[in-house]
Amino acid sequence: MKRGLNLFKTEDYWAIWLGLLVIVIAVAFFWSGSTLKPWVVKPGSWSTLAELGSDFAKHAGGYVAILFGFGAVFALSMKVMGRDVRQFLLGFVVLFAGALAIFYLAGWSIMQKADLGAPLLALLVGLVIGNIKAMPHWIAASLRTEYYIKTGIVLLGATLPLTLIAEAGPIAFLQATIVSVTTWLTIYLAATRLFKLDPRFGAVLGTGGAVCGVSGSIAIGGAVRADKDHIAIGIGVVSVWAIVMIFTLAILTKMMIPLPTVGIAGTPAQVTPTGAWELSPAEAGAWVGTSEYADAAGFAVVAEIAEEHGDAAIYAFTLMKVIGRDIWIGIWAFVLSIVSVVYWEKKDDVNSPHGRVAATVIWERFPKFVLGFFAATILMSIIAAQAPEDRRGMAPMKGTFKSKAQKANYDADFSSFVVPQNLADRFIIDTGSGTISFVGKMSLPDLREILKTANSDQAWALKSLHHESDWYESVLLPKVIDPIKTLRSWAFVLCFLCIGLSTRFRDLMTFGLKPFWAFTIGVIVNVPLGFILTTKVFVDYWRGLQ
Amino acid sequence: MTTSERVCRRCRYFVDDPHAVEQAFVGLTILSSAWGDTRGNQGLCIVHQQFLTPKLTCNHFTIRR
Ligand code: SF4
């Protein structure tokens, strides 16, 4: 296959093109003075059928736009990859309608009281339907779990600050390496020494648990020339455990993260765990990143956490799983291919497949979509750095303060307000126009200083001004980042629904007890090790991540 | 045909079509894909029933038509 064509022949590259296209369109709208926001929507919360009906009527145009936008690019990619576009499109329309129904179900007040978000609901509903009835071919054609999650991860890149990768990336890599090597050795030794399984089978199982789940098993299976049956069993064991861990980790982490509080600026404050069994959202994400086996499965957990606690869990998971574990699969493949040739294979048998695996395998197995994730992060960091230096944020003296944590109407009188001396040249009161303004970005210490002499109504106005003074928060976030996040949510829910609909436990559970127990021993070591490293050894890094 | 051309990638017993790979491994699409780079150009040898990289060879090599 020619290199140029390669750029359009795998889902990894298509996830990059689709993700970057979305980001470029969002930025183009922004620079032309507009925003994608009216067209990029997802259902809100509701408690009566009338509310549901009005929400649907309000957003119907947006749903059609997303269906056509995603559907067109996915269909084009299917055509180029040589697949049946008609079947895909038929299935995709049904899948999209299913995702929409899941969003509405999650927005129902009863589900919100039950603390069930769209990610877990998509998985649960999918599992029930998928295990009652096998999906017809035309729906199965649209169940592309990995394609959707890769697209979501590229979009996620646009929302994750580059500085975060620079600061926490090395720690994530260190922790992930400790966990990956320990887990791989545990599963491999249990498989080969305890249960006397073939070493290549042990390597397939070990990589599935230690690096990147089913994709890891496949990548290593080829590198070590594993038997077809061993890979099939590896897929079954890893998939079943990955799904079990989605629910286990989601329930545990949701119980262990304290409820969010409100900070001085009226936005959700950083959660500070106090007990030994309490976690911050970022710690939860890092733990899931070390103890889940597949990207899609792990994202189901952290996306569920993010519904209530914000994106910190998603960021920590991405650092740990995608950057800390996934991108090293090529190196694992190369090293294990050498070990396989030197130690595990019969020598001088020309009837068996033979030949060396070249070092090019490091690049060939590299999950290319990660490049799109980095490109999106860099692109958005450059745009975020374009904040006008002389920006003057402005807020009305009478209005409504609204954040994710608080909402309040206020009517403030600033006629005799005493401005702190050190901020007097930046804080402007214009009683004529009924506004207050601030030159440059108001920091939290600045806000704290001004609030000292403020009454309740003045405090709400000042919190509004604090928000308006931040170009990223008040302009770039709502107009560019939020629409990208909404599309990311769609890609994720499509993915989680696919996991459920394509999982048939009866077909998967055909493995014997030996490989199952070898993998289970790895789980028993991996889960507490991930927890201890996250909450004890590297706790300062994860707790500091917001 | 040179030795370097007698490789699995050109062998009729090598199944590397992504659709066929997904058919061969039940459950592969639940959390992964044969259209991804981690599977890449690896395939299934139906003679040895092994999953292989495409540049290997063996005495059973038969040119793909
Ligand atoms: S191992 Fe031999 S028979 Fe199998 S695909 Fe390669 S060359 Fe063909």
Side-chain angles (χ1 to χ4, degrees):
Chain A
M1 194 184 292
K2 290 197 179 79
R3 186 170 296 274
L5 287 177
N6 229 349
L7 298 178
F8 297 98
K9 282 290 182 189
T10 68
E11 290 173 350
D12 284 63
Y13 280 114
W14 276 105
I16 297 177
W17 307 139
L18 176 52
L20 293 183
L21 178 69
V22 165
I23 294 164
V24 167
I25 291 174
V27 173
F29 264 72
F30 175 64
W31 276 339
S32 68
S34 180
T35 171
L36 268 184
K37 205 165 184 174
W39 297 101
V40 177
V41 289
K42 62 178 188 181
S45 37
W46 58 279
S47 48
T48 63
L49 282 178
E51 285 174 5
L52 185 147
S54 86
D55 188 274
F56 185 82
K58 193 171 118 196
H59 291 145
Y63 302 146
V64 173
I66 297 172
L67 173 64
F68 272 86
F70 266 172
V73 182
F74 282 135
L76 174 68
S77 66
M78 292 294 154
K79 175 87 184 147
V80 176
M81 287 190 281
R83 306 185 59 191
D84 188 329
V85 175
R86 204 175 141 267
Q87 270 199 353
F88 171 80
L89 275 177
L90 278 175
F92 186 73
V93 171
V94 174
L95 187 70
F96 186 87
L100 181 60
I102 294 289
F103 272 126
Y104 270 114
L105 194 58
W108 187 20
S109 53
I110 291 185
M111 286 297 163
Q112 292 185 328
K113 274 191 202 122
D115 198 16
L116 257 178
L120 275 195
L121 267 177
L123 192 68
L124 270 174
V125 171
L127 280 174
V128 171
I129 296 173
N131 280 280
I132 291 173
K133 186 163 172 35
M135 290 297 107
H137 284 304
W138 57 276
I139 289 189
S142 68
L143 303 182
R144 307 304 311 171
T145 299
E146 206 181 50
Y147 191 6
Y148 302 138
I149 201 70
K150 285 172 178 170
T151 305
I153 295 173
V154 175
L155 293 175
L156 170 67
T159 67
L160 195 146
L162 191 58
T163 46
L164 205 64
I165 298 177
E167 283 165 17
I171 294 298
F173 171 66
L174 180 62
Q175 179 171 332
T177 305
I178 295 169
V179 171
S180 295
V181 172
T182 311
T183 307
W184 191 91
L185 282 174
T186 307
I187 297 175
Y188 175 79
L189 291 174
T192 54
R193 301 286 161 86
L194 217 55
F195 300 111
K196 308 294 177 208
L197 299 176
D198 182 276
R200 290 175 292 183
F201 191 9
V204 168
L205 287 171
T207 314
V211 189
C212 51
V214 171
S215 296
S217 291
I218 285 278
I220 295 309
V224 304
R225 301 164 206 184
D227 286 355
K228 180 196 172 199
D229 290 347
H230 293 166
I231 294 181
I233 292 169
I235 290 170
V237 176
V238 174
S239 301
V240 168
W241 259 116
I243 290 167
V244 169
M245 290 307 288
I246 293 176
F247 292 104
T248 310
L249 289 170
I251 293 167
L252 281 177
T253 51
K254 285 178 93 163
M255 283 183 346
M256 293 163 100
I257 303 174
L259 287 175
T261 54
V262 182
I264 186 170
T267 50
Q270 188 180 3
V271 172
T272 311
T274 47
W277 297 101
E278 285 189 348
L279 294 173
S280 70
E283 283 175 282
W287 183 29
V288 177
T290 51
S291 299
E292 242 309 350
Y293 312 107
D295 287 357
F299 272 110
V301 181
V302 290
E304 180 72 20
I305 296 171
E307 296 271 308
E308 190 172 8
H309 299 282
D311 278 354
I314 293 185
Y315 295 159
F317 173 83
T318 308
L319 289 167
M320 183 64 72
K321 181 71 176 64
V322 180
I323 299 172
R325 290 164 73 189
D326 290 357
I327 63 175
W328 310 100
I329 185 63
I331 293 183
W332 281 90
F334 182 56
V335 171
L336 289 174
S337 71
I338 295 171
V339 174
S340 178
V341 169
V342 175
Y343 297 106
W344 297 340
E345 288 170 21
K346 289 186 208 126
K347 305 286 181 296
D348 307 323
D349 182 359
V350 287
N351 286 320
S352 296
H354 55 270
R356 284 211 174 238
V357 174
T360 49
V361 77
I362 294 172
W363 169 245
E364 287 165 3
R365 294 290 85 79
F366 182 84
K368 314 292 187 299
F369 75 95
V370 178
L371 299 176
F373 166 83
F374 281 122
T377 304
I378 293 167
L379 184 69
M380 203 48 77
S381 296
I382 292 170
I383 292 166
Q386 309 302 313
E389 289 208 349
D390 56 348
R391 178 181 160 74
R392 200 170 124 180
M394 190 182 289
M397 293 182 188
K398 182 180 177 183
T400 305
F401 173 82
K402 198 175 163 196
S403 76
K404 275 183 186 155
Q406 287 183 315
K407 185 179 176 187
N409 294 320
Y410 62 86
D411 186 359
D413 176 6
F414 279 88
S415 53
S416 55
F417 186 74
V418 181
V419 182
Q421 200 66 42
N422 57 332
L423 297 172
D425 56 337
R426 296 173 68 199
F427 186 75
I428 300 143
I429 298 169
D430 185 346
T431 42
S433 65
T435 59
I436 48 175
S437 51
F438 195 83
V439 180
K441 183 181 165 182
M442 187 192 289
S443 66
L444 276 180
D446 292 342
L447 176 64
R448 207 168 278 128
E449 183 77 21
I450 302 179
L451 281 177
K452 275 180 186 165
T453 54
N455 62 30
S456 167
D457 281 297
Q458 288 167 341
W460 291 118
L462 289 166
K463 286 177 186 180
S464 292
L465 182 59
H466 171 262
H467 176 263
E468 291 301 316
S469 75
D470 187 336
W471 183 76
Y472 181 88
E473 285 287 331
S474 64
V475 179
L476 198 65
L477 194 72
K479 291 190 170 175
V480 181
I481 309 281
D482 281 349
I484 293 173
K485 276 190 185 178
T486 304
L487 287 174
R488 184 189 84 189
S489 298
W490 276 100
F492 280 2
V493 169
L494 286 170
C495 161
F496 307 145
L497 194 54
C498 285
I499 297 177
L501 290 174
S502 50
T503 301
R504 291 185 58 82
F505 288 112
R506 205 180 325 148
D507 297 341
L508 283 178
M509 311 248 299
T510 53
F511 44 79
L513 284 178
K514 285 182 179 179
F516 173 77
W517 279 113
F519 196 90
T520 304
I521 290 171
V523 175
I524 292 168
V525 171
N526 169 294
V527 174
L529 179 64
F531 184 81
I532 291 166
L533 288 175
T534 304
T535 59
K536 303 282 180 275
V537 182
F538 300 114
V539 61
D540 292 342
Y541 291 93
W542 298 120
R543 211 158 267 189
L545 190 147
Q546 289 200 52
Chain B
M1 178 173 275
T2 64
T3 314
S4 65
E5 287 171 341
R6 293 170 61 86
V7 288
C8 297
R9 185 167 47 88
R10 293 165 174 268
C11 177
R12 64 180 293 189
Y13 301 122
F14 190 64
V15 178
D16 59 350
D17 169 62
H19 188 70
V21 171
E22 289 191 352
Q23 295 289 312
F25 292 107
V26 176
L28 171 62
T29 57
I30 297 171
L31 292 167
S32 186
S33 166
W35 266 270
D37 277 302
T38 40
R39 199 279 303 180
N41 50 11
Q42 299 179 120
L44 185 65
C45 166
I46 54 175
V47 172
H48 299 96
Q49 289 293 302
Q50 280 176 290
F51 200 61
L52 305 172
T53 51
K55 289 179 189 162
L56 306 180
T57 189
C58 85
N59 271 1
H60 295 283
F61 175 85
T62 308
I63 187 79
R64 187 186 277 185
R65 304 252 170 245

